[in-house]
Amino acid sequence: MKNNKGLRSNVFVSITAILLGIVASFLLIALTGISPLKAFGVLLSGAFGTSGRVSPFLITLGQSTPLILTGLAAMYGFRVGVFCIAQEGQYVFGAVMAAWLGVQLHLPPYIEVPCIFIASIAAGGLYGLIPGLLKVKLGVNEIISSIMLNNIATLALEYLVAFPLRSDAGQKAQSAVLDQALWLPQFVKGSRWGVSFVIAITLVFLSYIYIWKTPGGYEMRMVGKAPLFAKYGGIKSDRVVLRTMFIGGGIAGLAGCMEILGNYHRIMTGFSSGLGFDGLSVAMLGGSHPFGVLLVAILLAGIRQGAQLGLQINLKIPRELGGVLIALIIFFVATENIYRPMVERIYDKVFNFFHRLKKNSIGNEESVK
């Protein structure tokens, strides 16, 4: 019961942070002379509307796919108490592996696609092991090592695309387009919503099962929440950290792979677009819970989509406002200690009110019987 209460309280705090971010953003909109309520309506319709040739909501779901996966990747690190921010590098190497194998292998698609998936997961997972090894073996701060690894991945991407993987002498360096038989299908053309999204949702449920229903997940939670208890309970913490970092890195590598096979169908300079860092935001706002990651990823993708399709096109408000809104939400999450006590008091009063209401209702039913 206590754990459920803590979970509900965290959800309530996250909702409060989102609402505060929205309020602050619309105060900025009000300074431009545009009605915040109108802007909010336009933002929602641009993010979750169903009209048009391609539904904005389906586009939002498609754009949420890499956010879900990079959010899950960051979540695994948080679960073992490792604040790893190397998802960007893992994502990049997963994408590079997919683009390279997609050109080099000449196998039947039903064999080649799984091979590309496995190779991209392995590439991301091995890259995820590096900050884990540096932390548990040498005590290197994972934030510093992650930043360096992300820079290395970005530079490696620029070199590989400009030289070994380059397909032509065009102005922009890019690899050859993959054979269409390797492309992951989209359910609605132009929406990016397709098989990749189904795989991401599947991983959300598998992550939930792994974390809360398996011995490996129990070890992971104990290492993250009670390291001393885990140590004296015989759990080999270093092994658990490394295993978890490999899993998280593999998921980030898979995100890069599915962006290549399901969306871009080639890799180019500038491919690294900050999705790995966005995954950190998703994991933080989602409370390091798989279902929280899913909901927040869709929300953040919707905010960006609504800012571009709604605010910029219809109201001439720069789409960068979407980024400002996300930044404000993260700011209020980071400063939650300021308002958490007040939010928890309100939550307790609301929860106790409905609990008493339910109890009285049950009592009345029993008296009638």
Side-chain angles (χ1 to χ4, degrees), residues 82-101:
V82 178
F83 195 82
C84 176
I85 59 175
Q87 290 77 33
E88 184 78 4
Q90 297 153 11
Y91 166 84
V92 164
F93 272 106
V96 168
M97 184 63 69
W100 177 61
L101 290 181

Side-chain angles (χ1 to χ4, degrees), residues 54-198:
V54 179
S55 167
F57 179 59
L58 296 183
I59 298 176
T60 294
L61 292 181
Q63 292 185 344
S64 72
T65 301
L67 291 178
I68 294 171
L69 293 173
T70 54
L72 288 176
M75 177 202 71
Y76 274 96
F78 292 167
R79 279 288 169 182
V80 287
V82 178
F83 195 82
C84 176
I85 59 175
Q87 290 77 33
E88 184 78 4
Q90 297 153 11
Y91 166 84
V92 164
F93 272 106
V96 168
M97 184 63 69
W100 177 61
L101 290 181
V103 173
Q104 296 298 321
L105 294 181
H106 300 284
L107 301 172
Y110 60 87
I111 296 177
E112 185 167 344
V113 170
C115 288
I116 293 174
F117 271 43
I118 293 170
S120 295
I121 291 171
L126 291 173
Y127 210 63
L129 276 179
I130 298 175
L133 283 169
L134 291 174
K135 181 177 178 64
V136 302
K137 299 299 182 182
L138 301 176
V140 177
N141 184 284
E142 66 271 22
I143 298 178
I144 296 175
S145 63
S146 296
I147 292 172
M148 295 300 101
L149 288 168
N150 286 335
N151 289 336
I152 291 171
T154 301
L155 294 173
L157 169 68
E158 299 298 317
Y159 166 76
L160 291 171
V161 175
F163 295 101
L165 296 178
R166 189 164 190 157
S167 62
D168 52 48
Q171 185 176 3
K172 185 172 185 179
Q174 54 191 5
S175 67
V177 177
L178 302 184
D179 191 292
Q180 194 166 353
L182 302 177
W183 298 5
L184 295 178
Q186 294 183 3
F187 300 140
V188 178
K189 189 175 181 180
S191 68
R192 296 175 58 181
W193 176 62
V195 172
S196 299
F197 182 77
V198 175

Side-chain angles (χ1 to χ4, degrees), residues 10 64 74 110 156 179 181 193 257 325 354 356 359:
N10 289 335
S64 72
Y110 60 87
D179 191 292
W193 176 62
C257 170
L325 174 53
F354 283 105
R356 287 195 302 269
K359 188 176 180 180

